[in-house]
Amino acid sequence: MWRDRHFAVFWSAQTLSVLGDGFASVAVPLLVLQLTGSVALMGLLTAAAGVAAVVTAIFAGVLVDRSDRRRLLIGCDVARALLFATVPVAWLWGPQLWLLYLVLPASAAVGMVFRVAYVAAVPGLVDVERITEANGKLSASYAVAAIGGPLLAGVVAAAFGYSAAIAVNAASFAVSAAALVVVRLRQERLARTATTLAHLRDELWDGARFLWRHPVLRSLTWLLSAFLFLTYGLDDVLIYHVRDNLGGSEQTVGLVLGVAAVGTVLGSLGVAPLRRRFGFGATWSGSTALAGLAVAGVGATRSLPAVASLAAVYLGGLAVGAICSLSLRQEVTPNHLLGRVTSVFWATHYALGPVGAAVITWGAEAYGVALVCALAGAGASWSPSPRWPLRSLAGDPRRPARCWA
């Protein structure tokens, strides 16, 4: 796949962008914790960003299916570069906590449009039988970048401050936008007929009908929505646990997150052979159950190496399940509907996430990390029984969509 220049550039640009995201994922929560000392306020910021993403997801698919996807990706990267750049500029006049509650929701909204366009763009880069492999390679390289991002973020934050780490994220979006200029996608049929609100509503319903009438996609949507409710705030809880409960420094937080990202690398590289060997159902169910058990273990230990290792297991299981789900949607959904189907899926999938983030982080502050992780892990480790229809799914994406059920 490296011989495909357009895929290679797309792959490299998005990996760099994720490297920058690693800076923000460490710097922003630590910045809020430094200014307020409250993990609940960290969760509130995460929830606000989640609400913005959910609202945007409702309409993002229509926009993606009516637009040139490459140009849309470039525009989203430019917008996020400008948004994050405002933080280090504003911090020149002192801490501006209120600004984070504007920038993060806005960037989350733009990021949701980008994610829908990104999912719809991948089938325009590779053949259908290579979609799972492409998603696995993209996710693996992202995870490698996610290892370096938190590690470097901890060093930069300690040396130059949290706002400097956020500036690195802004720069990564700018570079990614420049790289995407040379990428070309295969021509796809776009939905350009809507001219009124009624037409837009009908376009959105086309995607919703496809998703809800497909038995496997419908089941996955509900299951993943419940899973996200239980896990959406866990990044904040993990940072709080390492920093406050275990006495870790900024560098320690970055190191733990970097080690944990190794799990994503391994899961991403292993998902294609696992799916070929065991089929979709067993691979998805097993990885989800493993991730939940690891979450329960995180709160039960006070050893930093053990926390990092369990977080790696959690992220590995999460990567396998997420790539399976994403690849299935890309394989069975007609290209001209892919943006809208993805949009409806994520609007439903993320709907309970902000509430979950607020509940999980509040619970961690009020009742302790151990209890919250035990409850979240127990709920997340639930998976469909072996009799669930997904068990029979094979790994060949060329089978007709009705056979996936």
Side-chain angles (χ1 to χ4, degrees):
M1 299 185 78
W2 278 111
R3 291 192 294 270
D4 186 331
R5 182 173 68 88
H6 296 299
F7 179 78
V9 172
F10 182 85
W11 189 359
S12 301
Q14 297 317 303
T15 301
L16 177 63
S17 179
V18 172
L19 180 67
D21 278 339
F23 279 75
S25 67
V26 172
V28 172
L30 287 176
L31 190 56
V32 175
L33 191 61
Q34 180 191 52
L35 295 176
T36 67
S38 171
V39 67
L41 288 178
M42 292 168 60
L44 181 61
L45 182 58
T46 301
V51 169
V54 170
V55 173
T56 305
I58 297 173
F59 308 102
V62 175
L63 176 62
V64 168
D65 286 340
R66 288 166 51 84
S67 305
D68 182 303
R69 289 166 181 170
R70 182 180 67 91
R71 292 180 181 177
L72 191 59
L73 289 170
I74 294 170
C76 289
D77 270 344
V78 170
R80 287 186 290 180
L82 294 174
L83 282 168
F84 278 106
T86 62
V87 175
V89 172
W91 246 253
L92 294 175
W93 288 271
Q96 311 289 335
L97 181 62
W98 61 270
L99 183 62
L100 296 177
Y101 285 88
L102 296 179
V103 169
L104 255 67
S107 64
V110 176
M112 177 55 70
V113 175
F114 181 93
R115 291 182 65 186
V116 174
Y118 161 86
V119 170
V122 169
L125 287 168
V126 299
D127 296 329
V128 64
E129 65 271 13
R130 304 190 74 178
I131 285 177
T132 300
E133 181 186 357
N135 285 328
K137 290 184 182 297
L138 285 163
S139 181
S141 60
Y142 292 174
V144 171
I147 294 172
L151 291 173
L152 293 174
V155 174
V156 171
F160 304 104
Y162 301 121
S163 61
I166 295 173
V168 174
N169 191 33
S172 73
F173 283 125
V175 174
S176 174
L180 287 173
V181 170
V182 304
V183 173
R184 293 292 180 270
L185 302 178
R186 296 169 187 163
Q187 292 295 324
E188 66 270 344
R189 182 162 63 94
L190 301 178
R192 297 183 179 277
T193 58
T195 56
T196 66
L197 289 177
H199 289 156
L200 291 173
R201 179 199 62 204
D202 291 341
E203 284 190 21
L204 184 60
W205 277 117
D206 286 342
R209 278 193 294 268
F210 182 90
L211 180 68
W212 298 122
R213 289 176 179 176
H214 195 291
V216 178
L217 295 184
R218 181 177 64 244
S219 298
L220 276 174
T221 301
W222 291 123
L223 289 167
L224 287 170
S225 297
F227 184 88
L228 192 73
F229 170 82
L230 295 168
T231 60
Y232 196 62
L234 286 181
D235 285 352
D236 291 336
V237 171
L238 178 61
I239 292 173
Y240 173 74
H241 187 45
V242 172
R243 177 70 184 273
D244 280 31
N245 293 347
L246 305 183
S249 64
E250 288 86 353
Q251 291 94 329
T252 304
V253 170
L255 180 62
V256 169
L257 294 179
V259 171
V262 173
T264 304
V265 177
L266 297 177
S268 300
L269 294 176
V271 61
L274 283 172
R275 183 176 172 186
R276 285 193 297 267
R277 173 66 179 82
F278 299 106
F280 180 92
T283 302
W284 187 89
S285 300
S287 63
T288 303
L290 182 64
L293 292 173
V295 168
V298 166
T301 180
R302 299 188 64 85
S303 164
L304 281 170
V307 167
S309 299
L310 287 167
V313 173
Y314 162 67
L315 291 180
L318 198 64
V320 172
I323 293 170
C324 280
S325 171
L326 169 61
S327 299
L328 179 65
R329 290 199 312 277
Q330 291 171 321
E331 290 159 1
V332 304
T333 305
N335 187 266
H336 68 282
L337 282 174
L338 188 52
R340 282 165 285 173
V341 170
T342 301
S343 182
V344 173
F345 168 78
W346 273 339
T348 307
H349 178 43
Y350 280 101
L352 296 177
V355 179
V359 171
I360 291 294
T361 53
W362 170 80
E365 187 170 285
Y367 299 103
V369 171
L371 177 60
V372 165
C373 286
L375 294 175
S381 64
W382 179 88
S383 61
S385 74
R387 296 182 299 276
W388 198 38
L390 284 177
R391 175 189 178 196
S392 63
L393 297 181
D396 187 354
R398 290 168 291 185
R399 296 168 65 189
R402 62 180 179 276
C403 294
W404 288 99

